Amino acid sequence: MKQILVGFIMDGKAGGIDKYLLNFLGTVKAEAGAEEIEMDFLTDGSHGELKTYLAGYHSELYAIASLKHPIKQFRQVCSILKNKKYDMVYLNVSTAIDCVAAFAAKRMGVPERAIHSHSSGNDCESTVQRFAYDIVHKICRLFFYRAGTRFYGCSVKAGEWLFPKKITDSERFEVIYNAVDGDRFRYDESLRKEVRQELKIEDDVLVIGHMGNFCYAKNYPFLIDVFEQVHRRRSQSMLLLGGKGVELESVKVLVKKKGLGEAVRFLGWRSDTERLYQAMDLLLLPSRFEGLPVVGVEAQCTKLPCVFSDTITEEAKIQDHCYFLPLSEGPKSWAEFILQHQDYDRSQVRLTKEARYYDLENQREQLRRIVCR
């Protein structure tokens, strides 16, 4: 039996990394067999619901100190690795600051140490803190890779954010795209009508959507400004926002301040995103940075036109109605572009050849290689 310690998961619902890790767990267990792989997880909080879920896979959830207490975290990870002899540590992180567990694994002699990058920037609300974190990240990036034996990224851009060029240009680095279930995320005209009826949205309403964590990276002030410009020109328009996060309340205040309360719907965290995409007419992602947005891939699979900021890697484009705009052009220009592209036949949207990279079967093979290499 191969024993793997995986980090870092939040509550199982926090975002792209959590979604990826739960998919990783399910896929590897199904492909390798429940008796051949034992997989435990690291987290920095207490999550009862997640602990119960993981118990169904015979997986332990270890709560360790956050990076605010790096020495304590190092000692805790060393203790976990001492008590149970893991064959592999697989660390999924967003910045090089998350290097403590990797060096603990190296210190304890874990033979396989895989590091997987899922971002391309520091997601921090405070400008001062973000500046400080960027400096610390750049310093840690100089030596973080020395703790690893294998390296992955959800995109080339994410890999370059975390690892030096000598790593990303080598055979030790591999891109693992965030695959989605094509059957689940498939456009269905009848389902579109059903969901819009549930949400009480008239047929002539232009519905712009956004799904994600309410955080700095997603650039909500810009998103709301864009929708405000759209709504001025087309009153029969609506913005659907799904997700949760630290900026949720401040975004609600901004929406109210702009008088958009009747036109903006806050849907909360949802597990039925595939249904919500059906009701939308366009997905808007004006992110300040991304590793590779899973919601962007999901939405494109439902043939939903998408407008992304050009800070998002073009590796995310898998259909012919996906557009990239500079944030520097401003909300008014974005709104004009959206209104120019509001009329289309969704059934005519075509996936590109790059969509195969996001196929579940292709990803299953990659995930098998992670644990069976």
Side-chain angles (χ1 to χ4, degrees), residues 187-250:
Y187 178 59
D188 185 326
E189 181 65 29
S190 61
L191 183 56
R192 172 183 169 83
K193 293 178 180 178
E194 177 184 312
V195 178
R196 286 178 75 110
Q197 287 176 356
E198 288 176 9
L199 296 174
K200 295 181 173 55
I201 300 173
E202 299 295 330
D203 291 342
D204 61 344
V205 175
L206 173 67
V207 178
I208 296 173
H210 177 93
M211 308 298 295
N213 288 331
F214 282 75
C215 60
Y216 170 80
K218 302 300 181 181
N219 205 6
Y220 279 93
F222 188 92
L223 188 154
I224 300 302
D225 285 347
V226 172
F227 177 70
E228 180 184 28
Q229 293 292 331
V230 170
H231 195 61
R232 284 180 181 176
R233 293 163 174 76
R234 178 168 174 169
S235 59
Q236 291 297 96
S237 58
M238 178 179 292
L239 177 63
L240 298 182
L241 298 176
K244 59 179 185 177
V246 295
E247 285 194 358
L248 176 58
E249 293 307 316
S250 64

Side-chain angles (χ1 to χ4, degrees), residues 5 10-11 15 39 54 59 91 117 123 130 141 168 220 236 241 246 264 266 280 296 300 314 316 362-363:
L5 182 63
M10 297 299 288
D11 60 0
M39 197 180 303
L54 293 178
S59 297
L91 300 174
S117 176
D123 186 15
R130 190 166 55 255
R141 183 179 178 274
T168 55
Y220 279 93
Q236 291 297 96
L241 298 176
V246 295
V264 179
F266 291 89
M280 299 173 187
Q300 288 179 82
E314 292 204 8
N362 180 62
Q363 189 186 66

